[in-house]
Amino acid sequence: MYNLLGLLRVSSLKGRLRLLVIVLIVAMCLLVLLTTSLFGKMIKEQEIHAALQEAIDLQRLFIDKWKAERLSDVVYLAAIGSPLTMDRQQMLAQFRLFQKTHTEFDSIGLIDADGKVATAGGEDADMNVADRDYFRAARNNETFISDIMIGRLTGKPLLAFAAPFRNPDGSFAGAVAGTVGTATLEAIVKDLRHGESGETFLLNKDGYRMTSLRGGGGAPSGEAPYRTVIYERALAGEQERKSYVNRQGDRVFGAYAWSADRQWIIVGETLAKDVYRPYYRLLAALAAISVLILLATYMAAVMFTRKISDLLKLLLDGTKRIREGRFGYRIDAATIRSAPSELQELSDNFNIMSEKLRTTVQLLEESAVVDHLTEVYNRRFLMNEGAKIEEAAARAGNTSCILLVDVDYFKQINDTHGHLVGDRVLKHAAALLVACVRNSDVAARYGGEEFVVLATNCVLEQGCELAHRIRTTYGESPYRDEERVIPITVSIGVAQSNPHRTYGTNTLEDMIERADKALYRAKHNGRNRVECDDPPLPPAVEPDP
């Protein structure tokens, strides 16, 4: 590093600090670039869902195309093999030639009008398929693709593609049926799996799995329906990025797509742990790199700041004090009077920033608990700190009261004079309220035109007296400006603390609820009045035995 400084002819403190800043900035840039190259958990979920969905959509197109091609093959055979052009043996001969070039089909059969089957391979076995769905569809002059079923000749699971053909007079002559074993379907799905731990499988519309588990045997045609989250999402037409637990009990991410005829559901899943594994590895690498960068930066700082170690200690002590919440800490200028001008400027800037931070934090703390319009405490402060104040009073054996104050007909003031004047009336009302209560009382804006006073060491009678004094003050102090005088009246509900609460989760919430009911009575009875809650009953005294 010293050789680098000599090579760059950086001998001044200012130059060395600049070079150090450059090194730090380069290191931080590298760290930022590395960090941005990693995917956070949320971004990773979005990415895997998008990748799965894209893969599944492509798979759906491939499978739809494959189904359409196989059905088109059967329709083609039905067209060229019609009794209009050739007899039964010629048709079977054509089927055999076709099957040699279309190895996807395990068998191609000719079915007569009664459902009796003859195959291109010569397995005529006395087999009748008149009860099969695909034959019934052909009889209705419809093409058909079946679900997974068990072949009567082979006893193995297969798919059937069927198309009808007709006699010269237009009557139903039979059907051409091509069967595809699930091994072919398994091979297609296997080629489309996403990632090392990914799995793609097919469900029919009823939720039965048409392809086997990864590494398993044939299609589980006899198992229970696949009632998992991904199937429910498919039925509801919902696409979500959240992971879920699959049939095997593993947490996975999944995506689905319906086939074009909405008979099959193509589902893709990948293990969540495999999705997150690269993320965690990169995160660990980032942590290690960050530590190395910090160590290197620290060593460089020690090497090039020996002469300014005292100031660094002062700065460190100042940052610790700020971290502890002692904002506004200042470095005494006398301690660095002999330091270079750059360090004195740094110290001055630190003191300025510390003071600005103190001012900013103070403003933030005030804005978090003070209503910006009325400049009294807000509801958040009342519910958080007010509850603590009431609990402290209760522990000391003191009773508290809540006064719920509502400005009467405030909506009419807004409608008549406008919202700007309404805001000024609220600010005036808040100032009157603060002037009426003690310094130990808490006055807060509860919401809209409602205010709350929490008076500690105050029984119900004293609270009612305070409420009447407040009501009288409002009546004698209308809002005035250059253009108007607006009378103000208030309705007040008063409630006293009671250890046996009826409402809410604490005594403060209970008092507010009971004061609100008293306020309702005040409004109902004509407004501009005070209503007090019933005093709490004294505790029952058990008779001596």
Side-chain angles (χ1 to χ4, degrees):
M1 183 63 75
Y2 280 109
N3 293 335
L4 177 61
L5 291 173
L7 181 64
L8 297 176
R9 297 182 180 180
V10 179
S11 57
S12 67
L13 175 62
K14 185 176 181 179
R16 293 190 177 190
L17 287 176
R18 285 183 176 179
L19 181 59
L20 180 59
V21 169
I22 291 174
V23 172
L24 290 175
I25 290 176
V26 170
M28 290 302 298
C29 288
L30 292 175
L31 184 60
V32 169
L33 288 175
L34 182 59
T35 302
T36 54
S37 69
L38 304 176
F39 296 96
K41 186 175 182 180
M42 183 180 299
I43 298 176
K44 193 64 179 177
E45 290 177 1
Q46 294 174 346
E47 180 194 55
I48 190 61
H49 182 269
L52 276 173
Q53 193 61 54
E54 182 180 1
I56 288 298
D57 288 339
L58 291 174
Q59 292 166 9
R60 178 195 60 189
L61 295 175
F62 183 85
I63 291 175
D64 283 340
K65 180 181 178 182
W66 178 83
K67 288 172 62 179
E69 288 176 349
R70 301 293 78 74
L71 186 60
S72 177
D73 290 341
V74 174
V75 171
Y76 168 76
L77 291 175
I80 67 169
S82 170
L84 295 171
T85 58
M86 61 185 70
D87 60 22
R88 177 187 180 91
Q89 293 304 320
Q90 290 176 323
M91 291 171 67
L92 292 175
Q94 288 291 327
F95 291 175
R96 283 191 290 272
L97 290 175
F98 187 86
Q99 190 173 354
K100 287 181 180 179
T101 58
H102 295 73
T103 56
E104 297 91 346
F105 289 103
D106 290 348
S107 68
I108 301 176
L110 181 66
I111 309 172
D112 63 20
D114 297 324
K116 187 174 180 181
V117 180
T119 65
E123 306 91 345
D124 285 0
D126 189 14
M127 183 178 68
N128 193 290
V129 294
D131 59 333
R132 292 290 200 186
D133 290 339
Y134 61 83
F135 182 76
R136 294 193 187 104
R139 186 180 290 277
N140 293 329
N141 200 31
E142 298 175 354
T143 57
F144 191 84
I145 302 175
S146 73
D147 282 338
I148 297 292
M149 61 183 183
I150 301 301
R152 290 180 176 172
L153 283 177
T154 63
K156 297 179 180 179
L158 51 82
L159 289 171
F161 298 80
F165 61 87
R166 298 197 169 273
N167 290 312
D169 59 2
S171 62
F172 176 68
V176 176
T179 62
V180 177
T182 55
T184 301
L185 199 58
E186 293 281 353
I188 294 173
V189 172
K190 181 179 179 181
D191 291 340
L192 301 176
R193 284 171 176 164
H194 179 81
E196 296 181 0
S197 65
E199 180 182 16
T200 301
F201 56 90
L202 296 177
L203 302 175
N204 66 12
K205 62 182 179 181
D206 297 320
Y208 288 92
R209 185 159 177 156
M210 301 174 63
T211 54
S212 66
L213 300 172
R214 181 166 184 156
S221 56
E223 69 175 11
Y226 202 83
R227 305 297 193 206
T228 62
V229 172
I230 195 67
Y231 177 68
E232 300 299 332
R233 290 178 185 173
L235 290 183
E238 297 175 349
Q239 293 285 3
E240 294 187 15
R241 296 191 297 268
K242 296 180 180 179
S243 61
Y244 59 91
V245 177
N246 67 4
R247 185 72 169 269
Q248 290 73 48
D250 298 321
R251 181 156 291 278
V252 297
F253 289 97
Y256 72 88
W258 284 91
S259 62
D261 56 8
R262 294 193 68 82
Q263 298 298 310
W264 295 359
I265 306 173
I266 302 98
V267 178
E269 293 179 342
T270 188
L271 293 176
K273 63 181 181 181
D274 291 338
V275 171
Y276 290 133
R277 185 178 294 116
Y279 167 73
Y280 292 137
R281 287 176 178 173
L282 288 175
L283 197 61
L286 175 62
I289 292 173
S290 299
V291 171
L292 292 176
I293 291 176
L294 289 174
L295 290 175
T297 303
Y298 175 76
M299 293 177 63
V302 171
M303 292 173 59
F304 296 110
T305 57
R306 293 183 184 276
K307 295 182 179 180
I308 58 172
S309 59
D310 291 341
L311 176 60
L312 292 178
K313 290 179 181 179
L314 291 173
L315 290 172
L316 180 60
D317 183 57
T319 57
K320 287 181 178 179
R321 291 171 185 264
I322 292 175
R323 185 178 61 185
E324 294 169 355
R326 298 167 63 180
F327 305 108
Y329 172 80
R330 298 180 59 84
I331 296 176
D332 187 0
T335 60
I336 57 170
R337 186 173 300 165
S338 59
S341 59
E342 296 96 332
L343 297 184
Q344 293 183 14
E345 183 179 356
L346 178 62
S347 175
D348 292 340
N349 289 337
F350 174 83
N351 289 338
I352 293 172
M353 289 188 295
S354 178
E355 180 62 25
K356 286 185 177 180
L357 180 60
R358 183 191 65 80
T359 304
T360 302
V361 170
Q362 182 178 356
L363 290 175
L364 289 174
E365 290 176 347
E366 290 177 356
S367 64
V369 299
V370 175
D371 180 67
H372 71 281
L373 174 63
T374 60
E375 297 181 357
V376 298
Y377 289 120
N378 57 21
R379 182 171 180 168
R380 177 183 178 185
F381 178 84
L382 174 70
M383 302 309 292
N384 292 337
E385 300 301 323
K388 297 177 183 177
I389 293 171
E390 190 284 324
E391 289 173 1
R395 285 195 298 270
N398 296 326
T399 303
S400 301
C401 279
I402 279 288
L403 281 68
L404 199 55
V405 182
D406 183 86
V407 179
D408 294 332
Y409 305 110
F410 181 72
K411 185 177 184 302
Q412 294 182 7
I413 296 176
N414 272 338
D415 294 342
T416 303
H417 303 285
H419 288 277
L420 290 178
V421 174
D423 289 347
R424 296 173 193 161
V425 171
L426 280 180
K427 191 170 183 180
H428 175 68
L432 291 177
L433 185 64
V434 171
C436 290
V437 300
R438 302 169 299 180
N439 292 336
S440 60
D441 297 335
V442 176
R445 185 181 181 189
Y446 195 62
E449 65 273 18
E450 287 188 343
F451 297 89
V452 172
V453 175
L454 171 60
T456 56
N457 195 17
C458 177
V459 297
L460 186 61
E461 291 78 11
Q462 295 171 324
C464 293
E465 290 176 5
L466 174 60
H468 283 291
R469 187 164 65 251
I470 292 172
R471 187 189 68 82
T472 301
T473 300
Y474 276 96
E476 296 173 348
S477 307
Y479 168 78
R480 300 175 186 272
D481 59 23
E482 298 82 359
E483 301 177 1
R484 60 187 66 80
V485 176
I486 302 176
I488 303 175
T489 63
V490 292
S491 300
I492 305 176
V494 185
Q496 176 184 312
S497 59
N498 189 342
H500 305 290
R501 69 173 184 270
T502 306
Y503 307 100
T505 60
N506 56 44
T507 304
L508 179 65
E509 292 180 1
D510 177 65
M511 283 195 293
I512 292 175
E513 183 66 24
R514 288 187 286 111
D516 185 60
K517 293 183 181 298
L519 174 61
Y520 176 79
R521 292 197 301 273
K523 291 181 179 181
H524 184 72
N525 292 333
R527 302 180 186 266
N528 190 20
R529 59 187 294 115
V530 174
E531 290 287 345
C532 298
D533 183 47
D534 295 333
L537 296 175
V541 178
E542 297 182 0
D544 295 333

